[in-house]
Amino acid sequence: MTTPILVTGATGRVGTELVRLLDRAGVRPRALVRDVERARTRLGDRAELVAGDLGRPADLDAALAGVDRMFVLTATGRGQLTQERNAIDAAVRAGVRHVVKLSVLDAGRDSPLRHGVWQGDANALLVNSPVRHTVLQLAFFMQNLFGMVGGGAIRSSAGDGRVAMVDARDVAAAVAATLVDCPDWAYDRTLVLSGPEALSFDDTAKVLAEATGLPVRHLPVPREQVAAMLRRFGAEEWYAEDVAVFNDLIAAGRVATVTDTVRRLTGSAPRSLADFAREHAPVLARAAAPAPAGRPGG
């Protein structure tokens, strides 16, 4: 019995949910993972786990045996383009008939984001390959807010700009629908995923405050401080600068596009931020709690 779908990035926020949804749809995918035992704690028996590394083409060749569809998602980093090129080249060698790839919004050579250029180069490789493809782009995961809310404040240099946030679970649902039963209109297309609305961080703070019952505010800071905060937490210079640039993009209104792609692919409307915040209120409340007296806070 062949395994029709290979999932990369299976233990991340999108991949874990994707594997669950595929299993629920009666499809047991194969997952290429670095650590099988660790992956099993997240995925259980819902996927066939194969040890391998996207940096090693031979591992991909072995994992793609008997596979005709593939999901490509790699961790953001300097090796991202190499890993995604390896995955696409392996898909061509294996005769995979459909590759679904996740990407940052407006990836390409002209992207002001370093990882936008890397992903854009990989997207171009896929689009120009003989493999049928669907590139799904998005601007911002709602789950990113877990790490942004601290001491009762969201700090950004985005001003009153808006961003079309989307729940990672809705992204996974769109990927699953595209892999399992791709509609004709979604083949060989680059599609944008979003939630139902574009929100400023002022709006976001109000939604989180209502859901948690705690005071949450948006605290504007200079863009240099955005990068500096990330560097203090150990981020590489390029990544810290990319986050600051992304704040610039929000402020300029370049990531506010709202689409109906999730609904068209899945048949269901994407979750709103209010729904997301109510569901995750305990986690958000811990993040939003004011800093104790004597410690730095909002």
Side-chain angles (χ1 to χ4, degrees), residues 27-48:
V27 178
R28 185 170 183 260
R30 181 177 297 160
L32 180 67
V33 298
R34 290 185 178 182
D35 187 327
V36 169
E37 292 308 313
R38 184 176 180 183
R40 187 170 286 116
T41 64
R42 291 186 64 84
L43 305 175
D45 194 43
R46 290 188 291 270
E48 176 193 352

Side-chain angles (χ1 to χ4, degrees), residues 60-198:
L60 281 156
D61 290 338
L64 282 166
V67 167
D68 65 2
R69 286 159 286 172
M70 181 182 187
F71 174 58
V72 176
L73 174 59
T74 61
T76 299
R78 294 180 184 275
Q80 187 168 28
L81 175 57
T82 297
Q83 292 180 343
E84 295 189 349
R85 179 190 292 117
N86 289 344
I88 294 162
D89 288 347
V92 173
R93 291 194 298 272
V96 172
R97 67 176 178 85
H98 188 201
V99 171
V100 179
K101 182 180 179 301
L102 211 58
S103 169
V104 68
L105 185 67
D106 290 337
R109 296 302 302 174
D110 295 331
S111 175
L113 302 170
R114 184 82 61 87
H115 71 283
V117 174
W118 295 333
Q119 290 186 25
D121 286 349
N123 293 349
L125 289 171
L126 177 58
V127 168
N128 293 318
S129 78
V131 179
R132 302 204 76 179
H133 66 272
T134 305
V135 178
L136 298 174
Q137 298 192 338
L138 62 106
F140 187 91
F141 288 115
M142 291 178 184
Q143 282 79 358
N144 292 345
L145 294 170
F146 294 146
M148 288 183 66
V149 182
I154 300 171
R155 295 163 179 80
S156 88
S157 57
D160 59 2
R162 296 175 178 270
V163 59
M165 305 178 188
V166 62
D167 192 311
R169 293 169 297 178
D170 291 320
V171 173
V175 173
T178 310
L179 286 168
V180 172
D181 189 18
C182 187
D184 288 342
W185 59 265
Y187 277 112
D188 302 324
R189 295 279 304 280
T190 295
L191 304 169
V192 176
L193 306 177
S194 79
E197 57 195 340

Side-chain angles (χ1 to χ4, degrees), residues 209-287:
E210 182 176 346
T212 62
L214 294 171
V216 181
R217 61 183 173 134
H218 174 217
L219 182 62
V221 299
R223 73 180 307 280
E224 294 78 12
Q225 188 173 333
V226 170
M229 287 188 296
L230 287 161
R231 286 194 295 268
R232 284 200 300 271
F233 284 102
E236 291 187 61
E237 180 62 36
W238 71 265
Y239 180 78
E241 181 59 23
D242 261 12
V243 174
V245 171
F246 185 72
N247 276 251
D248 296 341
L249 297 180
I250 298 174
R254 291 180 55 181
V255 291
T257 301
V258 174
T259 72
D260 66 349
T261 307
V262 170
R263 181 192 59 76
R264 292 183 70 197
L265 286 172
T266 69
S268 299
R271 296 169 177 84
S272 68
L273 180 62
D275 290 339
F276 173 86
R278 283 191 292 267
E279 182 179 354
H280 296 285
V283 176
L284 290 165
R286 288 194 294 273

